[in-house]
């Protein structure tokens, strides 16, 4: 009986050590937050219209700030997973997201998710291509697609027709506005 109790104690001790080790392994290496800078889409769109152009360029930073704004408004991305910090990088039609998350208000972890971006009127949709936790692959089915709202930030007369993905920027192509739309947009 004494050997059984000692064996049980050793198993419990090893399980606790393994749990603490796993907790420290998944803990984020970098401190990230959800602070973002407002992207002046309305002002840029008005300037674009004044130049008689139909294309607006969004940089890597613009897309990152729009994605952070979306996350800050709704940080609960999946059941029991809350994003506490994020950093984004654009590589063509792929968005690389480094996320600090909190699972069940208890375990902090670091995730890297690769999304493929696509235009679906009126927003950009980010579909999960790959997810990793500290280099360990996770099933894509654990995470769902994200919406990066763009159209709601633009003046109402402007309608997006398509998007053109560059290496570190996105070209937003607008439908040709009517004369009335231009007058409303410019305020004349």
């Amino acid at each position: 009986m004494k050997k059984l109790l000692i064996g049980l104690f050793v198993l419990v001790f090893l399980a606790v050590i393994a749990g603490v080790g796993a907790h420290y392994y998944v803990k984020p290496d970098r401190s990230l937050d959800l602070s973002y800078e407002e992207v002046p889409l309305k002002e840029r769109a008005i300037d674009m219209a004044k130049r008689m152009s139909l294309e607006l360029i969004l940089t890597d930073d613009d897309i990152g700030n729009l994605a952070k704004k979306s996350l800050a408004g709704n940080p609960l991305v999946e059941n029991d997973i809350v994003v506490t910090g994020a950093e984004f990088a654009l590589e063509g039609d792929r968005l690389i997201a480094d996320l600090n998350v909190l699972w069940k208000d208890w375990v902090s972890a670091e995730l890297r998710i690769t999304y493929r971006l696509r235009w679906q009127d009126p927003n950009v949709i980010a579909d999960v291509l790959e997810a990793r936790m500290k280099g360990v692959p996770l099933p894509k089915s654990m995470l769902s697609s994200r919406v990066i709202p763009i159209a709601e930030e633009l003046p109402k007369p402007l309608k997006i027709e398509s998007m053109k993905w560059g290496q570190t920027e996105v070209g937003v192509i607008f439908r040709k506005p009517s004369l009335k739309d231009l007058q409303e947009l410019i305020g004349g």
Side-chain angles (χ1 to χ4, degrees):
M1 183 70 160
K2 188 175 178 181
K3 286 184 180 183
L4 180 64
L5 286 175
I6 291 173
L8 194 58
F9 175 75
V10 168
L11 279 175
V12 168
F13 180 74
L14 289 175
V16 168
I17 294 296
V20 169
H23 180 73
Y24 279 101
Y25 176 75
V26 299
K27 189 174 131 190
D29 293 333
R30 298 182 297 155
S31 178
L32 301 175
D33 60 30
L34 290 177
S35 62
Y36 61 90
E37 293 180 24
E38 282 291 334
V39 179
L41 288 179
K42 189 172 192 170
E43 292 80 10
R44 288 185 192 174
I46 291 170
D47 182 55
M48 176 203 69
K50 286 179 181 177
R51 290 183 285 112
M52 302 300 280
S53 174
L54 292 177
E55 184 175 12
L56 175 70
I57 300 297
L58 297 176
T59 65
D60 185 19
D61 289 337
D62 294 336
I63 295 294
N65 282 315
L66 289 169
K68 273 188 171 186
K69 181 178 182 178
S70 174
L71 279 173
N74 183 17
L76 181 68
V77 292
E78 301 297 331
N79 288 339
D80 302 321
I81 299 176
V82 176
V83 175
T84 58
E87 186 175 86
F88 296 93
L90 187 63
E91 294 179 0
D93 68 343
R94 294 175 188 227
L95 184 67
I96 312 300
D98 290 318
L99 306 174
N100 288 355
V101 298
L102 189 60
W103 177 67
K104 294 199 176 214
D105 293 329
W106 184 58
V107 177
S108 293
E110 178 181 313
L111 299 178
R112 172 167 274 199
I113 303 172
T114 303
Y115 295 99
R116 172 162 284 133
L117 300 175
R118 63 183 168 86
W119 169 246
Q120 183 176 319
D121 194 17
N123 299 307
V124 173
I125 308 297
D127 296 316
V128 178
L129 285 179
E130 178 182 60
R132 295 182 171 274
M133 180 186 302
K134 292 274 188 139
V136 177
L138 299 173
K140 290 190 308 186
S141 60
M142 285 181 61
L143 302 162
S144 57
S145 297
R146 298 290 301 166
V147 174
I148 303 172
I150 291 182
E152 67 187 37
E153 302 279 332
L154 295 169
K156 296 299 176 212
L158 291 178
K159 304 291 184 232
I160 299 173
E161 183 174 288
S162 65
M163 295 205 156
K164 181 174 63 176
W165 311 104
Q167 188 57 29
T168 59
E169 63 187 27
V170 178
V172 181
I173 313 299
F174 291 93
R175 291 185 188 118
K176 188 175 181 179
S178 68
L179 186 58
K180 181 182 175 191
D181 290 340
L182 284 174
Q183 287 173 336
E184 183 181 330
L185 184 65
I186 296 173

